[in-house]
C-alpha cells in the first residue's frame, strides 16, 4: 500500500478522531499502519457510500422519489458503513495472526483497549461516510436521470 | 406535397371530420404525400351543435400543432383552413366554414324572393308562385334557413346551388394546386348532405368558370355517402318536420339518383357507402341549431378510415368510379373492439388510438401523483444546470397553453365515451384508474406493472433530451408519445 494513503487515513483516525494512544504505538498502531488497515478503513468510508449513492441515483427507477427517500437511503448508507467497518476492524484485530498485537505483550490494559477499537473506528467511519455521502450525492445527482431532484 | 380538401356537408360531415381529427391527433397520417388537410364545412345551420363542436376541435388541433416543433407522431398531420393557406387567416372568423350567402335569418321564401313574385299581380307571376307552391309546402317556405333544411333536400338543392357564389368557395379554388385532391362527406338521408353532394360535385367537375378550373375539374375526387345509421327518438308530441321513418325512402331515392347521374357517368373517382340497420341508436330529436349535437358514432370513425383509404389508394383511380363499402370482421351489436375490425384497420388505428388514450388518461388521472414529485415535472432543482430542468413544471400545467391540450383531450375522451354508449358500441378500451392504466385495452393483458410508474420513469429519462426541449408543448407531446410507445410495447398491449 502506498505510504501516503496510510499516512493520510492514519492521520484522520489517529489525529482527527484521536483514536490513538502513544502507549500502544507498538504493537498496535504501528502494525495497523504497516498492514494497510487504515487504507482499508478509508476505502470503506469512501467507496461504500459512493457506490450506494450511485446505485440510488443510477439504478433506482422509482420515479416518485421524495426527499425522505433520499434521507432514508442516507441513513442506510451510514449504518452499512458502520456495520462494515465494525465487522472488518473486529475481524482484522481479533482474528489477526499477529500474536504480538493480539496478546499485547501480556498487558491487560492494552487488550481491553484493543477490544474497544472496532467500535471507535466504526463510529469514525459512520461520521466520515455522512460527509462523503452528502458531497457524493451533490456530485452524482447532476448525472442522474430519474433521481436528479433529490435531495433538493 | 399535396393538399386534401375535405368538404364536410351537414351534421354528418362535421362529425366525420371530428373523427378524422381525433385519428390525426393520435398520430395517423395520410399516405401519398398529402401533407395538408383542408377541412371545409358546409352547413347553413350555423348554430348546429355538431358543427360548432367540430370547429372548436379543429381550432384546438391547429393551435396545439402550431406549438409543436416538427411533430412526428401525435398531431403530425397538418390541418389548415383555406384562409390560412392564402395567408388571410386572421380576417376569417370562421376559417373552416364555407358561408352560404342569404341563409342567415332568412326564411326559405325570402331566399326565393317569393314575396316579390306576389307583389306584381300579373297572371304570369301568380303562375310562378303557384308553381313554387307545387314544389314546396308552406312549412318549407316558412322554414328559417339558419337552422338548415331540416331533412328536406328539395330545399337544400336550391340554396346549396349558390355555393360557388361565396367568397369562401372562390378562396378554395384559388388555393387549389396540381396534385391536390378532394373528398366529400355527406349523408343521404337528411337535407343538407343529400342535396349538397351532387351540386358540389357538379360544380367541381363541370364548372369551367370557377378559378383554377383547369386543375379542379380533372382532379381526383372521392366521397363517402352515409346511408341511414341512426334514428331519432320520438318526442312526446310526435315527430315534426324531421321524421326518421322517411330516412330509408329518402336514401333509396337519392341512391337511385346518384347511381344514374354520378356513378354510371363516372363523375367521381371513389365513392364509399356506409350505413347500419337493425341496431341503430336513437338520437334525441332536434331540428338543427345547438340542440343538434349527436353522439359520436363508430360509423363516423369508419368514415374517417375511408378518407385514409382514399389517400392510400389514389393510384388505383382510373376512368371508372370505384365503389367501396365498409365492413368489419366480426358482426357484433355490442362492444366492437379493435380485434373485430379487419386486420388492416386494426393495424392502422389500434396502436395510435391506444397510445393517445393512455396519454389522455394519464394527464387526467395519473398526473397528480407525479406533479411536483417526479423529476420530469420539476424545474427548480438545485445544483443542476438549466438544460436538465424540466420545462413541464406546475406553472406549465396551470397555464393556458396546457389548457388547450386539456380541452382537446376532454373532447377526445368524450368522443370515445360517446362511441361506447352508441349503437353499435365501439368500445376498445376499459375504464381505468391511474393504478391500472395499462389495462386500458380490451383483450390485451399487460405484462408487468400496470400503473403509470413506467411512463413516469421514461419521462424522467427523456427530460434532458435536447430534441424534445424546444418548448413546453413540444416536450409534453413528444415525450409522452415516445414514453408510452416504449412502455406499451414492453407490456405487449400495442
Amino acid at each position: 500500500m502506498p505510504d501516503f494513503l496510510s499516512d493520510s487515513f492514519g492521520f484522520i483516525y489517529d489525529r482527527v478522531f484521536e483514536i490513538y494512544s502513544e502507549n500502544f504505538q507498538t504493537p498496535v498502531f504501528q502494525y495497523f499502519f504497516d498492514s494497510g488497515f487504515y487504507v482499508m478503513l478509508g476505502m470503506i468510508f469512501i467507496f461504500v457510500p459512493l457506490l450506494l449513492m450511485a446505485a440510488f441515483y443510477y439504478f433506482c427507477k422509482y420515479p416518485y422519489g421524495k426527499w425522505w427517500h433520499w434521507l432514508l437511503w442516507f441513513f442506510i448508507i451510514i449504518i452499512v458503513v458502520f456495520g462494515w467497518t465494525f465487522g472488518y476492524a473486529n475481524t482484522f484485530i481479533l482474528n489477526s495472526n499477529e500474536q504480538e498485537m493480539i496478546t499485547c505483550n501480556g498487558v491487560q490494559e492494552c487488550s481491553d483497549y484493543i477490544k474497544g477499537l472496532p467500535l471507535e473506528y466504526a463510529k469514525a467511519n459512520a461520521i466520515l461516510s455522512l460527509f462523503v455521502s452528502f458531497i457524493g450525492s451533490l456530485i452524482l445527482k447532476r448525472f442522474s436521470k430519474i433521481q436528479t431532484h433529490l435531495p433538493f | 406535397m399535396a393538399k386534401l380538401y375535405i368538404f364536410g356537408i351537414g351534421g354528418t360531415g362535421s362529425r366525420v371530420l371530428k373523427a378524422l381529427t381525433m385519428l390525426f391527433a393520435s398520430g395517423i397520417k395520410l399516405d401519398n404525400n398529402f401533407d395538408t388537410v383542408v377541412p371545409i364545412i358546409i352547413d347553413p345551420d350555423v348554430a348546429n351543435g355538431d358543427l360548432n363542436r367540430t370547429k372548436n376541435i379543429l381550432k384546438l388541433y391547429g393551435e396545439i400543432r402550431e406549438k409543436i416543433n416538427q411533430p412526428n407522431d401525435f398531431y403530425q398531420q397538418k390541418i389548415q383552413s383555406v384562409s390560412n393557406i392564402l395567408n388571410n387567416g386572421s380576417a376569417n372568423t370562421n376559417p373552416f366554414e364555407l358561408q352560404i350567402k342569404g341563409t342567415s335569418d332568412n326564411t326559405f321564401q325570402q331566399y326565393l324572393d317569393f314575396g316579390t313574385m306576389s307583389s306584381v299581380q300579373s297572371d304570369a307571376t301568380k303562375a310562378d308562385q303557384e308553381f313554387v307552391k307545387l314544389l314546396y309546402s308552406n312549412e318549407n317556405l316558412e322554414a328559417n334557413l339558419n337552422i338548415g333544411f331540416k331533412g328536406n333536400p328539395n330545399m337544400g338543392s336550391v340554396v346549396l346551388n349558390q355555393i360557388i357564389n361565396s367568397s369562401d368557395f372562390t378562396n378554395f379554388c384559388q388555393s387549389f394546386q396540381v396534385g391536390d385532391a378532394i373528398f366529400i362527406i355527406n349523408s343521404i338521408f337528411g337535407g343538407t348532405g343529400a342535396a349538397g353532394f351532387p351540386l358540389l360535385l357538379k360544380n367541381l367537375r363541370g364548372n369551367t368558370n370557377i378559378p383554377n378550373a383547369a386543375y379542379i375539374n380533372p382532379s381526383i375526387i372521392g366521397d363517402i355517402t352515409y346511408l341511414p345509421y341512426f334514428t331519432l327518438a320520438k318526442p312526446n308530441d310526435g315527430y315534426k318536420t324531421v321524421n326518421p321513418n322517411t330516412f330509408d325512402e329518402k336514401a333509396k331515392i337519392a341512391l337511385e339518383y346518384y347511381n344514374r347521374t354520378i356513378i354510371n357517368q363516372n363523375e367521381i373517382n371513389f365513392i364509399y357507402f356506409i350505413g347500419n340497420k337493425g341496431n341503430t341508436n336513437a338520437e334525441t330529436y332536434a331540428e338543427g341549431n345547438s340542440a343538434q349535437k349527436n353522439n359520436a358514432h363508430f360509423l363516423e370513425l369508419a368514415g374517417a378510415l375511408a378518407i385514409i383509404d382514399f389517400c392510400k389508394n389514389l393510384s388505383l383511380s382510373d376512368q371508372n368510379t370505384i365503389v367501396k363499402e365498409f365492413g368489419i370482421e366480426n358482426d357484433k351489436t355490442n362492444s366492437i373492439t379493435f380485434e373485430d375490425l379487419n386486420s388492416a384497420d386494426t393495424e392502422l388505428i389500434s396502436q395510435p388510438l391506444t397510445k393517445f388514450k393512455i396519454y389522455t388518461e394519464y394527464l387526467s388521472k395519473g398526473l397528480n401523483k407525479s406533479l411536483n414529485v417526479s423529476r420530469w415535472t420539476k424545474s427548480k432543482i438545485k445544483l443542476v444546470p438549466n438544460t436538465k430542468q424540466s420545462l413541464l413544471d406546475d406553472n406549465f400545467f396551470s397555464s393556458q397553453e396546457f389548457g388547450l391540450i386539456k380541452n382537446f383531450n376532454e373532447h377526445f375522451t368524450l368522443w370515445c365515451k360517446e362511441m361506447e354508449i352508441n349503437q353499435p358500441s365501439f368500445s376498445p378500451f376499459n375504464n381505468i384508474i391511474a393504478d391500472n392504466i395499462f389495462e386500458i385495452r380490451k383483450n390485451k393483458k399487460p405484462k408487468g406493472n400496470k400503473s403509470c410508474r413506467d411512463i413516469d420513469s421514461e419521462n424522467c429519462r427523456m427530460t434532458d433530451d435536447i430534441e424534445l426541449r424546444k418548448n413546453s408543448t413540444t416536450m409534453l407531446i413528444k415525450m409522452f408519445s415516445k414514453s408510452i410507445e416504449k412502455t406499451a410495447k414492453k407490456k405487449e398491449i400495442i
Side-chain angles (χ1 to χ4, degrees):
Chain A
M1 290 291 170
D3 276 355
F4 76 92
L5 284 178
S6 288
D7 281 343
S8 307
F9 292 127
F11 177 80
I12 292 171
Y13 297 110
D14 290 353
R15 304 296 170 201
V16 177
F17 288 95
E18 296 177 343
I19 313 169
Y20 177 75
S21 171
E22 276 182 7
N23 300 334
F24 311 117
Q25 165 65 21
T26 52
V28 181
F29 295 102
Q30 189 57 50
Y31 175 67
F32 286 173
F33 186 89
D34 295 340
S35 62
F37 175 70
Y38 290 133
V39 176
M40 189 59 200
L41 289 185
M43 296 295 138
I44 291 172
F45 88 74
I46 291 173
F47 288 109
V48 171
L50 286 182
L51 285 172
L52 290 178
M53 268 300 168
F56 176 81
Y57 280 110
Y58 304 131
F59 295 105
C60 176
K61 294 176 185 173
Y62 185 68
Y64 311 116
K66 294 181 181 161
W67 65 269
W68 58 265
H69 289 116
W70 178 88
L71 195 65
L72 185 68
W73 191 246
F74 188 75
F75 283 124
I76 288 171
I77 291 172
I78 291 166
I79 290 166
V80 168
V81 169
F82 179 90
W84 195 325
T85 308
F86 183 83
Y88 171 74
N90 213 27
T91 309
F92 182 88
I93 296 168
L94 302 181
N95 295 345
S96 170
N97 291 324
E98 189 65 22
Q99 287 305 311
E100 193 185 355
M101 183 190 72
I102 297 163
T103 57
C104 269
N105 300 324
V107 179
Q108 185 58 41
E109 193 190 354
C110 176
S111 289
D112 294 342
Y113 179 75
I114 283 179
K115 282 176 191 162
L117 281 179
L119 185 63
E120 293 302 313
Y121 286 119
K123 283 196 281 188
N125 260 9
I127 293 166
L128 288 166
S129 70
L130 194 142
F131 289 104
V132 174
S133 298
F134 186 73
I135 292 162
S137 172
L138 300 187
I139 296 165
L140 293 170
K141 69 178 257 172
R142 292 172 64 94
F143 309 101
S144 172
K145 293 279 186 190
I146 297 176
Q147 315 297 353
T148 193
H149 59 298
L150 297 177
F152 41 71
Chain B
M1 292 297 175
K3 300 188 288 297
L4 176 69
Y5 291 86
I6 304 177
F7 287 91
I9 309 177
T12 304
S14 289
R15 291 193 298 274
V16 175
L17 276 171
K18 179 174 71 179
L20 186 68
T21 309
M22 295 305 174
L23 292 184
F24 289 156
S26 72
I28 291 170
K29 198 174 182 305
L30 297 180
D31 285 336
N32 271 326
N33 281 331
F34 282 104
D35 68 329
T36 307
V37 167
V38 189
I40 301 170
I41 302 172
I42 301 175
D43 198 340
D45 182 4
V46 287
N48 183 295
D50 288 323
L51 167 74
N52 285 318
R53 195 151 65 159
T54 300
K55 273 163 47 182
N56 190 21
I57 287 168
L58 286 168
K59 187 168 164 272
L60 281 170
Y61 183 98
E63 285 171 347
I64 294 167
R65 192 183 184 280
E66 204 172 52
K67 291 185 165 65
I68 307 170
N69 181 271
Q70 297 179 328
N72 55 5
D73 189 3
F74 294 162
Y75 298 93
Q76 66 176 314
Q77 181 71 55
K78 193 199 277 184
I79 299 180
Q80 267 191 308
S81 65
V82 169
S83 47
N84 272 336
I85 293 169
L86 294 174
N87 289 324
N88 59 355
S90 55
N92 195 338
T93 49
N94 287 308
F96 296 107
E97 242 184 301
L98 193 148
Q99 311 269 0
I100 304 164
K101 275 184 186 170
T103 53
S104 59
D105 293 329
N106 268 350
T107 60
F108 186 54
Q109 62 182 343
Q110 284 169 330
Y111 187 85
L112 294 176
D113 284 337
F114 190 78
T116 317
M117 288 179 197
S118 60
S119 68
V120 183
Q121 295 299 316
S122 70
D123 285 345
T125 47
K126 269 186 185 170
D128 285 348
Q129 204 175 43
E130 293 305 318
F131 183 70
V132 169
K133 279 188 171 177
L134 280 176
L135 296 171
Y136 301 101
S137 66
N138 281 337
E139 285 84 10
N140 287 163
L141 290 169
E142 284 159 17
N144 201 327
L145 291 181
N146 63 8
I147 56 165
F149 308 120
K150 296 194 281 190
N152 294 294
N154 54 338
M155 290 164 65
S157 61
V158 173
V159 179
L160 294 171
N161 210 17
Q162 302 306 311
I163 286 174
I164 55 164
N165 295 328
S166 77
S167 58
D168 294 327
F169 190 81
T170 308
N171 286 342
F172 147 70
C173 295
Q174 282 169 346
S175 68
F176 200 92
Q177 291 171 314
V178 182
D180 293 348
I182 298 166
F183 198 90
I184 303 165
I185 307 159
N186 64 286
S187 72
I188 207 171
F189 56 100
T192 314
F197 165 53
L199 289 169
L200 182 62
L201 184 66
K202 185 185 78 179
N203 282 301
L204 294 170
R205 269 287 179 253
N207 192 333
T208 52
N209 296 320
I210 56 176
N212 280 334
Y215 303 148
I216 295 172
N217 294 164
S219 65
I220 295 181
I221 302 178
D223 165 80
I224 182 159
T225 288
Y226 275 81
L227 305 172
Y229 69 101
F230 62 84
T231 185
L232 296 173
K234 196 170 186 175
N236 292 336
D237 50 349
Y239 293 117
K240 292 168 198 159
T241 43
V242 183
N243 187 341
N245 297 325
T246 65
F247 282 178
D248 285 353
E249 194 56 31
K250 279 183 188 169
K252 277 183 203 166
I253 295 166
L255 265 182
E256 200 282 323
Y257 174 73
Y258 286 9
N259 198 34
R260 187 160 32 89
T261 60
I262 297 170
I263 300 171
N264 284 346
Q265 303 291 322
N266 296 317
E267 286 291 315
I268 198 160
N269 301 86
F270 290 86
I271 187 162
Y272 295 78
F273 286 106
I274 193 163
N276 185 51
K277 248 184 114 55
N279 57 346
T280 52
N281 192 43
E283 294 290 343
T284 310
Y285 182 86
E287 294 175 6
N289 227 323
S290 57
Q292 191 183 332
K293 203 172 181 180
N294 295 357
N295 280 340
H297 195 286
F298 169 64
L299 263 67
E300 291 148 11
L301 170 64
L305 293 174
I307 297 170
I308 293 164
D309 181 82
F310 166 74
C311 293
K312 191 176 172 187
N313 295 308
L314 220 59
S315 57
L316 301 176
S317 166
D318 58 14
Q319 297 287 312
N320 298 316
T321 297
I322 296 172
V323 181
K324 291 194 170 191
E325 291 179 325
F326 180 82
I328 57 175
E329 286 298 314
N330 303 318
D331 184 14
K332 277 186 166 177
T333 51
N334 283 312
S335 203
I336 297 169
T337 62
F338 288 129
E339 286 69 27
D340 299 316
L341 307 178
N342 72 42
S343 55
D345 288 337
T346 306
E347 196 181 327
L348 178 71
I349 66 170
S350 63
Q351 180 169 320
L353 282 182
T354 304
K355 273 173 60 184
F356 202 75
K357 181 72 176 165
I358 293 173
Y359 154 78
T360 57
E361 291 287 329
Y362 177 95
L363 288 179
S364 71
K365 295 174 182 168
L367 183 62
N368 278 348
K369 191 172 182 183
S370 60
L371 190 58
N372 262 327
V373 176
S374 282
R375 175 261 167 117
W376 72 269
T377 65
K378 293 178 86 97
S379 65
K380 289 169 189 153
I381 304 170
K382 302 276 187 309
L383 301 172
V384 161
N386 276 342
T387 52
K388 295 183 71 112
Q389 307 282 359
S390 178
L391 305 178
L392 306 173
D393 57 2
D394 51 354
N395 283 335
F396 170 73
F397 286 110
S398 52
S399 70
Q400 250 183 342
E401 195 175 342
F402 180 67
L404 296 175
I405 292 168
K406 202 175 158 192
N407 200 347
F408 187 92
N409 289 355
E410 281 164 5
H411 280 294
F412 179 82
T413 304
L414 188 63
W415 178 67
C416 294
K417 191 77 207 161
E418 287 179 358
M419 284 199 294
E420 187 183 339
I421 59 175
N422 224 324
Q423 284 294 326
S425 161
F426 181 59
S427 169
F429 302 121
N430 289 312
N431 289 322
I432 53 98
I433 54 169
D435 288 340
N436 69 342
I437 196 165
F438 282 103
E439 285 184 332
I440 190 106
R441 186 167 160 185
K442 284 183 179 168
N443 309 324
K444 291 271 185 184
K445 206 172 157 49
K447 283 190 170 177
N449 188 288
K450 296 175 286 188
S451 74
C452 300
R453 195 186 69 192
D454 290 354
I455 297 175
D456 284 312
S457 297
E458 281 305 320
N459 285 349
C460 290
R461 284 192 189 95
M462 283 188 272
T463 304
D464 355 330
D465 187 338
I466 193 107
E467 287 302 309
L468 306 180
R469 300 179 59 87
K470 305 294 181 189
N471 58 51
S472 302
T473 301
T474 302
M475 188 164 178
L476 181 86
I477 301 289
K478 287 193 168 182
M479 191 167 78
F480 270 94
S481 127
K482 282 185 174 185
S483 64
I484 292 171
E485 175 151 350
K486 190 170 177 186
T487 48
K489 276 187 175 164
K490 203 167 145 191
K491 292 173 192 306
E492 297 181 5
I493 64 160
I494 58 170

